Amino acid sequence: TKGRPLGGHSHLFGAAPLDLPDEETGDHMVVDWALQQMKAAKKETPLFLAVGLFRPHIPWEVPQRWFDLYPLAGVKLPPHREDDLNDAHHHGRTHWHKWVVENQQWEKFMRGYLASISYVDHQLGRLLDGLEASPVLKSNTIIVLWSDHGFHIGEKANWEKFALWDQTTRVPLFIHAPGVSRDGAQTRQPATLTDLYPTLCELAAIPVPAQCDGLSLVPQLKNPDRKRERLALCSFQFWNENRPSHAISDERYRFIRYGNGFEDLPCGGSCLRRIIVDLRHQRAHLVGVQLLEALLDHGVLVVLQLLRVRHVLRGHAEDVAAAQGSVGASARGAGGGGARARGGGGVRRRRRQG
């Protein structure tokens, strides 16, 4: 199709059921290999398995039975706004979304994405069942499950990644460490994927190489409420800009400073309220707090000079980027969509979705 992303004659950006059984698909065969390795494991021999599963990467092509779980008529699109980029940094990939909408592929691609997730979830289940069945590995194996990046499926007129919002950079991260972690416990403390290597080193009681700039997550595995002092940094250089962009986040806020000078504090009215509460808690001075609260209660659009928040976050972004370099690891942190700060430092309140 003319204008199709990744080439008009390529279906790499597409979704279609495969006329194959699971057993003949790549991820199934990868798990088969991993199960064989676990069955052959010996108690006295250390074992490290890196099991890479491809789905739900594009193209969304998995056996028909996974598509059958999601009849096309029942597929719902993700929450989105048509004007979502009006006050945001332009990611330069709207032509992907334009092609999807004009060719009526959004629901079909959403269906393929959901089918691919269910397919790979099944493969993960096979892998964990195999571990549970191993008398050698069942009780003494560290498990780490993560993805390499977040994903857009039409939100903010974007597909895949290549942005710095929470939707793009936040990843699932599960760590099971026998005798250390507590299954089911969660934390919103900021982390990056560079933290995984030193975490595994500490859990395995081996030295952390000097070149690692990540920090071990073992303190948070022991106590999920323990605060991390380092913010999470994620960086990316957009194609039409000559400087990299940086996003920093803690457990609540995300601040992005783009290479072209645009600044982004993704949040909405509830976020502004939290900032006010935080500033009050820190005994910071903010002119017109009571007036702002009254305006927010009445749904009035407010332009506010949050100079202290903006300058502190900007300083953190520059300091962290300088200290850690332009790392591309995915970051966890709050954010998603909402107020935008540009130039003079105002924050605009909008009701947003996605």
Side-chain angles (χ1 to χ4, degrees):
T1 306
K2 183 178 181 181
R4 188 184 193 120
L6 301 180
H9 299 291
S10 168
H11 285 193
L12 288 176
F13 184 53
L18 296 176
D19 186 19
L20 292 173
D22 284 359
E23 290 75 14
E24 295 181 24
T25 60
D27 286 341
H28 192 99
M29 289 187 277
V30 167
V31 173
D32 281 348
W33 168 84
L35 294 175
Q36 292 173 2
Q37 303 304 308
M38 288 192 287
K39 288 179 179 178
K42 298 180 180 179
K43 189 173 183 179
E44 65 277 6
T45 305
L47 176 68
F48 176 85
L49 280 181
V51 185
L53 301 179
F54 187 76
R55 304 298 173 204
H57 199 285
I58 60 170
W60 297 301
E61 297 177 350
V62 294
Q64 179 69 54
R65 73 183 184 113
W66 303 107
F67 278 80
D68 291 343
L69 295 175
Y70 305 97
L72 188 59
V75 171
K76 295 182 179 179
L77 297 179
H80 61 281
R81 291 181 58 121
E82 298 298 330
D83 62 348
D84 216 7
L85 290 179
N86 286 1
D87 63 349
H89 179 268
H90 200 287
H91 48 70
R93 291 168 55 82
T94 55
H95 60 287
W96 284 55
H97 190 61
K98 183 175 183 291
W99 182 89
V100 170
V101 173
E102 289 180 349
N103 289 275
Q104 301 179 342
Q105 295 295 304
W106 201 348
E107 287 85 355
K108 294 178 182 178
F109 283 7
M110 188 71 190
R111 184 191 187 199
Y113 182 56
L114 294 172
S116 296
I117 290 174
S118 292
Y119 162 81
V120 80
D121 181 70
H122 171 68
Q123 302 304 334
L124 287 171
R126 294 180 61 227
L127 191 64
L128 294 175
D129 287 346
L131 178 64
E132 186 73 15
S134 170
V136 175
L137 304 174
K138 176 180 178 180
S139 61
N140 65 347
T141 298
I142 299 166
I143 306 170
V144 184
L145 171 65
W146 79 97
S147 176
D148 56 343
H149 56 79
F151 205 82
H152 284 248
I153 193 155
E155 306 94 333
K156 300 186 187 301
N158 190 32
W159 288 78
E160 298 189 322
K161 44 185 178 178
F162 306 110
L164 287 174
W165 294 304
D166 188 75
Q167 179 81 10
T168 326
T169 60
R170 186 170 181 235
V171 302
L173 176 57
F174 299 85
I175 302 177
H176 168 77
V180 179
S181 63
R182 187 175 73 252
D183 289 350
Q186 301 179 34
T187 182
R188 283 288 298 179
Q189 292 301 309
T192 72
L193 296 182
T194 59
D195 296 328
L196 290 182
Y197 199 102
T199 299
L200 290 175
C201 286
E202 182 172 350
L203 290 173
I206 59 177
V208 178
Q211 70 266 26
C212 288
D213 60 4
L215 297 176
S216 173
L217 296 169
V218 170
Q220 282 67 45
L221 294 179
K222 295 179 178 179
N223 178 12
D225 295 327
R226 180 166 176 174
K227 188 173 180 61
R228 301 194 93 207
E229 297 302 323
R230 180 189 284 186
L231 300 174
L233 168 69
C234 187
S235 301
F236 179 68
Q237 184 153 349
F238 290 83
W239 296 272
N240 58 346
E241 297 173 7
N242 56 17
R243 296 180 61 186
S245 300
H246 305 288
I248 57 169
S249 59
D250 63 7
E251 68 275 17
R252 179 170 285 184
Y253 305 116
R254 172 179 295 264
F255 177 75
I256 307 172
R257 191 175 191 189
Y258 292 95
N260 64 359
F262 189 90
E263 293 178 349
D264 190 347
L265 180 62
C267 58
S270 61
C271 177
L272 290 180
R273 292 180 190 277
R274 293 198 303 265
I275 292 176
I276 293 169
V277 171
D278 286 353
L279 290 172
R280 279 183 164 175
H281 181 70
Q282 297 170 22
R283 300 193 177 187
H285 298 288
L286 181 64
V287 177
V289 168
Q290 292 181 342
L291 174 61
L292 173 64
E293 289 178 330
L295 290 172
L296 286 173
D297 287 339
H298 289 84
V300 179
L301 292 176
V302 177
V303 177
L304 169 68
Q305 292 290 341
L306 287 173
L307 292 178
R308 183 177 185 278
V309 173
R310 181 171 178 268
H311 288 166
V312 168
L313 288 174
R314 177 192 287 175
H316 273 308
E318 293 173 345
D319 293 345
V320 174
Q324 298 186 24
S326 299
V327 299
S330 299
R332 291 190 66 192
R340 307 292 177 208
R342 178 204 288 264
V347 177
R348 290 185 288 165
R349 178 183 181 240
R350 283 183 53 194
R351 297 184 182 273
R352 300 178 65 87
Q353 292 178 309

